[in-house]
Short mmCIF file of all heavy atoms in Angstrom, two decimals:
data_model
loop_
_atom_site.label_atom_id
_atom_site.label_comp_id
_atom_site.label_asym_id
_atom_site.label_seq_id
_atom_site.Cartn_x
_atom_site.Cartn_y
_atom_site.Cartn_z
N GLY A 289 24.39 -14.87 -14.02
CA GLY A 289 23.92 -16.29 -13.75
C GLY A 289 23.19 -16.47 -12.48
O GLY A 289 22.65 -17.54 -12.20
N ILE A 290 23.11 -15.46 -11.61
CA ILE A 290 22.50 -15.55 -10.34
C ILE A 290 21.14 -14.90 -10.35
O ILE A 290 20.16 -15.37 -9.80
CB ILE A 290 23.37 -14.93 -9.20
CG1 ILE A 290 24.69 -15.65 -9.14
CG2 ILE A 290 22.65 -15.02 -7.85
CD1 ILE A 290 25.68 -15.05 -8.16
N CYS A 291 21.03 -13.69 -10.96
CA CYS A 291 19.82 -12.89 -10.93
C CYS A 291 19.21 -12.53 -12.30
O CYS A 291 18.15 -11.98 -12.36
CB CYS A 291 20.10 -11.57 -10.15
SG CYS A 291 20.55 -11.85 -8.43
N ASP A 292 19.97 -12.79 -13.38
CA ASP A 292 19.49 -12.47 -14.71
C ASP A 292 18.99 -11.04 -14.81
O ASP A 292 17.82 -10.75 -15.17
CB ASP A 292 18.42 -13.45 -15.14
CG ASP A 292 18.18 -13.42 -16.69
OD1 ASP A 292 18.94 -12.68 -17.40
OD2 ASP A 292 17.27 -14.09 -17.15
N PRO A 293 19.85 -10.06 -14.46
CA PRO A 293 19.40 -8.70 -14.30
C PRO A 293 18.88 -8.04 -15.62
O PRO A 293 18.15 -7.06 -15.52
CB PRO A 293 20.63 -7.94 -13.76
CG PRO A 293 21.78 -8.79 -14.23
CD PRO A 293 21.29 -10.18 -14.18
N CYS A 294 19.32 -8.54 -16.77
CA CYS A 294 18.90 -7.91 -18.00
C CYS A 294 17.48 -8.34 -18.40
O CYS A 294 16.92 -7.78 -19.32
CB CYS A 294 19.86 -8.27 -19.12
SG CYS A 294 21.51 -7.56 -18.96
N HIS A 295 16.88 -9.26 -17.70
CA HIS A 295 15.56 -9.73 -18.05
C HIS A 295 14.55 -9.74 -16.89
O HIS A 295 13.35 -9.91 -17.13
CB HIS A 295 15.61 -11.16 -18.68
CG HIS A 295 16.51 -11.22 -19.86
ND1 HIS A 295 17.78 -11.79 -19.86
CD2 HIS A 295 16.36 -10.72 -21.15
CE1 HIS A 295 18.34 -11.64 -21.05
NE2 HIS A 295 17.52 -11.05 -21.83
N MET A 296 15.03 -9.58 -15.70
CA MET A 296 14.14 -9.61 -14.53
C MET A 296 13.59 -8.24 -14.20
O MET A 296 12.64 -8.15 -13.41
CB MET A 296 14.87 -10.25 -13.29
CG MET A 296 14.01 -10.44 -12.10
SD MET A 296 12.51 -11.39 -12.37
CE MET A 296 13.19 -13.03 -12.62
N GLN A 297 14.14 -7.19 -14.70
CA GLN A 297 13.62 -5.79 -14.46
C GLN A 297 13.58 -5.48 -12.96
O GLN A 297 12.52 -5.22 -12.43
CB GLN A 297 12.18 -5.66 -15.02
CG GLN A 297 12.07 -5.83 -16.49
CD GLN A 297 10.56 -5.74 -16.94
OE1 GLN A 297 9.83 -4.90 -16.40
NE2 GLN A 297 10.18 -6.58 -17.84
N TYR A 298 14.68 -5.50 -12.31
CA TYR A 298 14.73 -5.16 -10.88
C TYR A 298 14.37 -3.68 -10.72
O TYR A 298 14.91 -2.79 -11.41
CB TYR A 298 16.06 -5.50 -10.28
CG TYR A 298 16.29 -6.98 -10.24
CD1 TYR A 298 17.09 -7.63 -11.23
CD2 TYR A 298 15.70 -7.77 -9.22
CE1 TYR A 298 17.26 -8.98 -11.18
CE2 TYR A 298 15.92 -9.15 -9.20
CZ TYR A 298 16.70 -9.74 -10.18
OH TYR A 298 16.84 -11.08 -10.18
N ASN A 299 13.50 -3.41 -9.76
CA ASN A 299 13.11 -2.06 -9.46
C ASN A 299 14.19 -1.30 -8.72
O ASN A 299 14.33 -0.08 -8.80
CB ASN A 299 11.85 -2.03 -8.61
CG ASN A 299 10.68 -2.73 -9.27
OD1 ASN A 299 10.33 -3.84 -8.92
ND2 ASN A 299 10.10 -2.06 -10.24
N TYR A 300 14.99 -2.05 -7.93
CA TYR A 300 16.02 -1.41 -7.14
C TYR A 300 17.28 -2.30 -7.11
O TYR A 300 17.23 -3.46 -6.78
CB TYR A 300 15.55 -1.14 -5.69
CG TYR A 300 16.41 -0.14 -4.96
CD1 TYR A 300 16.06 1.19 -4.89
CD2 TYR A 300 17.55 -0.55 -4.28
CE1 TYR A 300 16.85 2.09 -4.22
CE2 TYR A 300 18.35 0.32 -3.63
CZ TYR A 300 17.99 1.64 -3.58
OH TYR A 300 18.81 2.55 -2.90
N ILE A 301 18.44 -1.69 -7.48
CA ILE A 301 19.73 -2.36 -7.39
C ILE A 301 20.51 -1.72 -6.27
O ILE A 301 21.02 -0.63 -6.36
CB ILE A 301 20.47 -2.24 -8.68
CG1 ILE A 301 19.72 -2.91 -9.80
CG2 ILE A 301 21.85 -2.91 -8.56
CD1 ILE A 301 20.26 -2.68 -11.23
N ALA A 302 20.56 -2.44 -5.14
CA ALA A 302 21.37 -1.98 -4.00
C ALA A 302 22.82 -2.37 -4.21
O ALA A 302 23.13 -3.30 -4.93
CB ALA A 302 20.80 -2.56 -2.70
N LYS A 303 23.70 -1.59 -3.53
CA LYS A 303 25.12 -1.92 -3.60
C LYS A 303 25.61 -2.06 -2.21
O LYS A 303 25.27 -1.20 -1.30
CB LYS A 303 25.91 -0.80 -4.36
CG LYS A 303 25.57 -0.79 -5.85
CD LYS A 303 26.53 0.17 -6.57
CE LYS A 303 26.30 0.06 -8.10
NZ LYS A 303 27.34 0.87 -8.81
N LEU A 304 26.48 -3.06 -1.96
CA LEU A 304 26.96 -3.28 -0.64
C LEU A 304 27.82 -2.09 -0.16
O LEU A 304 27.82 -1.83 1.09
CB LEU A 304 27.84 -4.57 -0.63
CG LEU A 304 27.86 -5.31 0.68
CD1 LEU A 304 26.51 -5.76 1.14
CD2 LEU A 304 28.83 -6.46 0.64
N GLU A 305 28.38 -1.34 -1.04
CA GLU A 305 29.16 -0.12 -0.67
C GLU A 305 28.26 0.94 -0.09
O GLU A 305 28.76 1.79 0.69
CB GLU A 305 29.90 0.43 -1.88
CG GLU A 305 30.99 -0.49 -2.41
CD GLU A 305 30.46 -1.62 -3.30
OE1 GLU A 305 29.27 -1.61 -3.67
OE2 GLU A 305 31.26 -2.54 -3.61
N THR A 306 27.01 0.95 -0.44
CA THR A 306 26.07 1.98 0.05
C THR A 306 24.86 1.32 0.70
O THR A 306 23.76 1.90 0.77
CB THR A 306 25.56 2.86 -1.15
OG1 THR A 306 24.91 2.01 -2.09
CG2 THR A 306 26.77 3.55 -1.81
#
Side-chain angles (χ1 to χ4, degrees):
I290 301 174
C291 296
D292 197 3
C294 292
H295 302 105
M296 185 54 71
Q297 301 176 38
Y298 292 99
N299 301 104
Y300 195 95
I301 299 171
K303 291 190 173 185
L304 209 60
E305 293 80 11
T306 59

